[in-house]
Amino acid sequence: MITKAAASPVLDLALADALAWEAGRLADIAAGRCASSALLWSCEPALVAPSNLGRLPGFARASAQATSDGWPVHLRSTGGDLVPQGPGIVNLSLMWSAPQETAPSIEEAFRRLTAPICGALSSIGLTSSLAPVPDAFCDGRFNVAVAGRKFAGTAQRWRPTGGGYAIHAHAMMLMRTPDDAAIRALNRFYRDCGINRTIRASAHIGLQDVVQRNGTSVSQHHFLSALADRVQA
């Protein structure tokens, strides 16, 4: 359950602690110790990669260079692709149990994750959609897009249990558009891993940029509070 502090519903955590919390809570759900959980969190600057990237021949060199540049690399258990973390990014970790006979499809699980995000955006007057965004990091058809640009990326992990699944759905949301340093770090990491991919800042949009452009007084706190209300477990 999300605990809403007076100032913000978002917890500031070390990235390693956030990943450990996710793993521990998913284990609790798989073991039947709880049925669901949700957390909004933010962390220090870093790059987070799915575990399959860790098997690439250039991964060790890419990680060493990124760490030297101030972007330590962490591996995660959910799918997707390389993403940045740090100030200006808020994560939503949403977990629940699903019996075998009523387990959702992957698409339904993504919609359970993205529906509260789209609803919270709507509550502050912003229209969003689910769509791929070329040249965005961790692109996929379940991006949450605003004005045709990527606002949030999504990923999933399913853990089998005795009678069904423990499901972990994750979204990382941009409060600010990624700066040049983050884009450079992503692109250099890909080059060092031997991956032919280019990420462009213009494919992304941060909430603060939309708020400023639209001249609205609605705050980031309003959005995050509305989101927290929608994902109470």
Side-chain angles (χ1 to χ4, degrees):
M1 177 179 292
I2 289 178
T3 301
K4 293 174 65 177
S8 172
V10 180
L11 292 181
D12 287 320
L13 299 172
L15 178 54
D17 291 341
L19 296 176
W21 179 92
E22 289 180 332
R25 190 49 55 92
L26 190 66
D28 288 341
I29 292 173
R33 291 187 288 269
C34 66
S36 61
S37 191
L39 184 69
L40 285 168
W41 57 273
S42 188
C43 66
E44 76 279 7
L47 299 182
V48 183
S51 57
N52 64 299
L53 284 187
R55 297 189 287 271
L56 293 177
F59 180 81
R61 181 184 63 178
S63 295
Q65 182 61 58
T67 299
S68 176
D69 292 340
W71 295 89
V73 179
H74 297 252
L75 292 175
R76 69 173 186 270
S77 58
T78 53
D81 206 340
L82 183 70
V83 299
Q85 289 287 349
I89 293 173
V90 172
N91 298 275
L92 170 61
S93 299
L94 193 62
M95 305 182 193
W96 69 94
S97 61
Q100 180 76 45
E101 60 274 13
T102 60
S105 66
I106 290 176
E107 179 171 333
E108 288 169 339
F110 271 126
R111 291 190 182 280
R112 176 166 174 168
L113 172 67
T114 55
I117 298 172
C118 293
L121 289 169
S122 180
S123 76
I124 61 171
L126 297 177
T127 300
S128 59
S129 62
L130 304 182
V133 179
D135 299 328
F137 56 73
C138 195
D139 188 27
R141 64 191 183 99
F142 290 101
N143 294 324
V144 177
V146 174
R149 296 162 66 186
K150 180 168 184 165
F151 167 72
T154 58
Q156 287 186 42
R157 178 192 180 191
W158 290 48
R159 179 170 173 172
T161 64
Y165 302 94
I167 301 172
H168 173 197
H170 179 269
M172 54 90 67
M173 302 167 288
L174 299 172
M175 301 299 106
R176 296 195 300 268
T177 301
D179 61 19
D180 290 342
I183 298 300
R184 283 196 303 269
L186 292 166
N187 286 329
R188 178 160 190 171
F189 188 93
Y190 280 134
R191 288 197 305 272
D192 289 345
C193 281
I195 297 172
N196 183 22
R197 188 173 304 157
T198 300
I199 306 303
R200 303 186 191 281
S202 59
H204 309 85
I205 193 163
L207 185 65
Q208 290 182 358
D209 302 315
V210 181
V211 166
Q212 292 172 1
R213 190 183 65 216
N214 288 348
T216 176
S217 60
V218 176
S219 68
Q220 174 178 314
H221 178 75
H222 187 141
F223 165 75
L224 292 170
S225 295
L227 178 58
D229 288 341
R230 286 167 166 77
V231 296
Q232 288 295 326

